[in-house]
Amino acid sequence: MNDDLVAAALLGTARRTPTFDTLEPVPRGVVEQLSTDDAAASLLEAAALERAYERGGVTSTTATPPTVCDDDPRYQLPAAAVARFRDLAAANSRIIDEWLVEALGRNYRAPDELVALVLRYAKASTNNQTYRDRLVQLASIRGQWLAAQNPEWSDFTSYTLADLQVWNYGTLRERAKWLTDVRRQDPDAALEQLTKTWPQEPGPARFQLIGSLLPQLNNNDTDFLEQALDDGRQEVRTVAAAMLAKLPDSPLSQRMSDRIRDWVYFDENNALSAKVPDELDDAAIRDGIGDRSVSAANDPMTWFGRVVRATPLAVWEQLLGPPATAVTSAIDERWKLRINVGWADAAKAQHNAEWAEALLRRAGVKDTDLIKVMPADAVADWVLADPRPLLDYSTIVLDALPHPWPREFAIRALELLMQMDPVATRPDDKAFRRQLHTHALAHLPIDLLGAVRGAADRAVDGGTARRMNQIAFHLIQRKTMLEELQ
């Protein structure tokens, strides 16, 4: 836009009379022929003419058509299933997860006209990565092709090892995505590329890129991670140590095992105790147990907790027996809390379901993240044997249960919903009832429809009857939607 026109517009025509001397000859000639005493109108006409002149002078260019999308051999969703998906997605229904699992399990894909809508829903789903991944899988090959044409959907494109130009010249965000994608396909090849560029990577990039190794972490990564323990950036060293601790066969895990064997002993009462050195050597500091700062220089209790957390749980089984026995062993009270917390962290890091269950059920450790490590069936058995976890950690426990619920647990859940006081005033009672009811809509076995209808008929108050009828409606809807995918 012409600078003189912009200046007149900003100051106002009452303070600055617009001049058209600097316009191109053609629009200037037209403006001069316009007869008007309204300076503001002349200004607007001049701006419009200049813009039209500029756009009219743009020459045509050529464009390369995108490559043709590969065929997708999967079955297209039936028409009834397409309509069902539109309704479920628009309502953000809880039962859409079951629909997606069933559709993908039957090797269905979204028809071409639905792909853009599926990607839009995936883009909007920022809080549920599993749901987002299933939507992208439903869009499949056509979705990948379409996402490549729209920068807003670039997150849904998947890089391959052949896309080395992205790794070599892309932004940090693009490079991190390339590393994550290629790690899924060929972990060793991705690690090789990272190893080549690692010495030249700036500190912030090293921190972000090393985190991309986590999803496919394996023993072939240990040499690289061991070198990262000497990195000049503290957060890089911390991430490297945490990753190595997830690999029981890594050199760091073996060093931690040796320290535990040196530090722990059984006292005169046959209780597990520990003697931690007053100072750390350079090797211990390199492994992330402590540092040279004043705040950490004299804290043996913290050092011990870090070593317990990074020690393979198999070492404790050698010392104390299987998890169910180990967690109930006699432990010196001075060290008991550190050991239990360290065991819990180790169970989560090493994804050891047996230790997670033992710590929750036998040691009474209050770490709800351990529930996520347990197998779904084990969670169901746990709450059937002891309902307190269901009441204390309802959301986490309900999310960890298998789908559909085991029949015995489902019947127990219906009984709880029927027994609850409809006019309960305690916030905890109301919240638990609401969560249990909401989860029942999506996870109650469909073959319990008759039992739910019977419960609705027996309900002694309108609120309970409405909840049971709502569950029955969802069971019918789930039954119908699964039939539509046959």
Side-chain angles (χ1 to χ4, degrees):
M1 180 63 68
N2 183 278
D3 290 341
D4 290 339
L5 298 184
V6 172
L10 291 174
L11 293 173
T13 55
R15 297 176 60 190
R16 179 167 179 163
T17 302
T19 59
F20 311 114
D21 296 339
T22 57
L23 291 177
E24 293 291 335
V26 174
R28 184 174 69 242
V30 177
V31 171
E32 290 172 350
Q33 294 176 17
L34 296 175
S35 57
T36 177
D37 296 329
D38 188 338
S42 296
L43 176 62
L44 292 174
E45 289 169 346
L49 284 166
E50 186 202 32
R51 181 62 176 158
Y53 179 79
E54 290 176 347
R55 294 187 65 180
V58 175
T59 58
S60 61
T61 59
T62 59
T64 303
T67 57
V68 177
C69 179
D70 294 333
D71 288 333
D72 192 329
R74 298 188 301 168
Y75 306 114
Q76 289 195 40
L77 286 169
V82 171
R84 178 74 62 182
F85 170 79
R86 292 180 183 273
D87 292 342
L88 295 177
N92 196 25
S93 172
R94 289 188 64 89
I95 65 176
I96 194 170
D97 284 333
E98 182 178 20
W99 184 93
L100 283 168
V101 170
E102 187 70 17
L104 295 172
R106 292 183 177 275
N107 205 30
Y108 280 120
R109 68 172 176 88
D112 298 348
E113 65 274 12
L114 190 67
V115 169
L117 179 65
V118 173
L119 292 180
R120 282 199 292 272
Y121 280 125
K123 182 69 175 178
S125 178
T126 57
N127 297 325
N128 188 335
Q129 188 62 44
T130 301
Y131 174 55
R132 184 182 176 115
D133 290 344
R134 286 171 180 163
L135 287 172
V136 173
Q137 189 177 351
L138 185 68
S140 192
I141 296 174
R142 301 295 170 90
Q144 290 281 319
W145 182 90
L146 192 60
Q149 319 306 317
N150 185 352
E152 291 186 5
W153 293 339
S154 60
D155 288 348
F156 304 138
T157 58
S158 182
Y159 295 122
T160 68
L161 186 60
D163 299 316
L164 271 177
Q165 72 280 2
V166 176
W167 174 248
N168 291 328
Y169 307 111
T171 63
L172 178 57
R173 183 171 179 271
E174 291 171 339
R175 297 179 72 229
K177 187 178 187 310
W178 181 93
L179 190 61
T180 299
D181 290 346
V182 177
R183 281 280 289 183
R184 292 196 193 103
Q185 305 155 25
D186 190 339
D188 291 343
L191 179 64
E192 180 182 356
Q193 294 301 320
L194 179 61
T195 303
K196 288 179 181 178
T197 64
W198 187 256
Q200 290 77 45
E201 301 287 356
R206 294 199 305 275
F207 175 60
Q208 183 164 344
L209 294 175
I210 195 173
S212 300
L213 300 180
L214 182 58
Q216 281 72 39
L217 187 66
N218 62 81
N219 287 328
N220 291 341
D221 301 329
T222 55
D223 289 344
F224 174 83
L225 294 173
E226 278 286 328
Q227 293 178 17
L229 292 176
D230 298 314
D231 195 272
R233 202 172 182 91
Q234 172 66 45
E235 56 264 40
V236 174
R237 299 195 300 272
T238 300
V239 171
M243 287 188 181
L244 286 166
K246 290 177 178 290
L247 300 170
D249 295 328
S250 70
L252 179 138
S253 294
Q254 297 308 309
R255 293 193 294 273
M256 294 296 188
S257 301
D258 293 340
R259 291 186 181 101
I260 281 295
R261 292 188 179 98
D262 289 341
W263 291 1
V264 301
Y265 65 94
F266 292 96
D267 63 18
E268 64 277 4
N269 298 317
N270 204 32
L272 186 71
S273 189
K275 181 174 177 57
V276 182
D278 295 330
E279 294 184 2
L280 294 179
D281 56 23
D282 291 341
I285 292 173
R286 179 178 182 270
D287 285 343
I289 299 172
D291 56 47
R292 300 294 187 190
S293 67
V294 174
S295 61
N298 298 300
D299 189 2
M301 193 74 74
T302 299
W303 302 339
F304 181 70
R306 290 171 180 164
V307 174
V308 174
R309 181 176 59 198
T311 298
L313 290 165
V315 172
W316 297 104
E317 295 179 28
Q318 294 169 5
L319 291 171
L320 301 170
T325 302
V327 299
T328 57
S329 299
I331 301 175
D332 187 331
E333 289 298 327
R334 294 174 300 171
W335 303 99
K336 188 170 185 176
L337 178 61
R338 292 288 180 180
I339 289 177
N340 280 332
V341 171
W343 282 345
D345 290 340
K348 291 180 291 185
Q350 299 170 34
H351 298 283
N352 192 307
E354 191 177 1
W355 271 88
E357 184 174 358
L359 287 164
L360 286 167
R361 298 187 65 172
R362 294 181 178 273
V365 172
K366 306 296 184 182
D367 187 337
T368 54
D369 286 337
L370 288 171
I371 298 172
K372 302 172 185 177
V373 181
M374 293 173 60
D377 290 338
V379 176
D381 292 341
W382 179 34
V383 295
L384 281 170
D386 180 3
R388 287 176 299 177
L390 181 60
L391 299 173
D392 294 341
Y393 322 119
S394 55
T395 300
I396 297 173
V397 170
L398 290 170
D399 285 343
L401 289 169
H403 173 85
W405 285 345
R407 189 177 185 84
E408 186 179 358
F409 176 83
I411 293 173
R412 178 59 181 148
L414 287 176
E415 292 173 349
L416 286 172
L417 288 170
M418 290 291 290
Q419 293 168 4
M420 286 181 176
D421 183 358
V423 292
T425 56
R426 288 200 314 164
D428 289 350
D429 289 344
K430 290 183 177 180
F432 174 68
R433 181 177 62 199
R434 183 169 56 251
Q435 292 164 359
L436 185 62
H437 173 254
T438 300
H439 280 74
L441 299 177
H443 302 293
L444 206 70
I446 293 174
D447 62 5
L448 287 181
L449 176 60
V452 174
R453 283 174 166 166
D457 293 339
R458 296 191 307 274
V460 296
D461 65 275
T464 301
R466 281 193 299 273
R467 284 194 296 274
M468 291 300 152
N469 283 324
Q470 188 179 15
I471 293 174
F473 171 79
H474 276 73
L475 290 176
I476 294 171
Q477 190 178 34
R478 288 167 54 202
K479 181 176 183 292
T480 304
M481 77 179 189
L482 296 180
E483 290 172 348
E484 292 167 349
L485 290 169
Q486 299 295 326

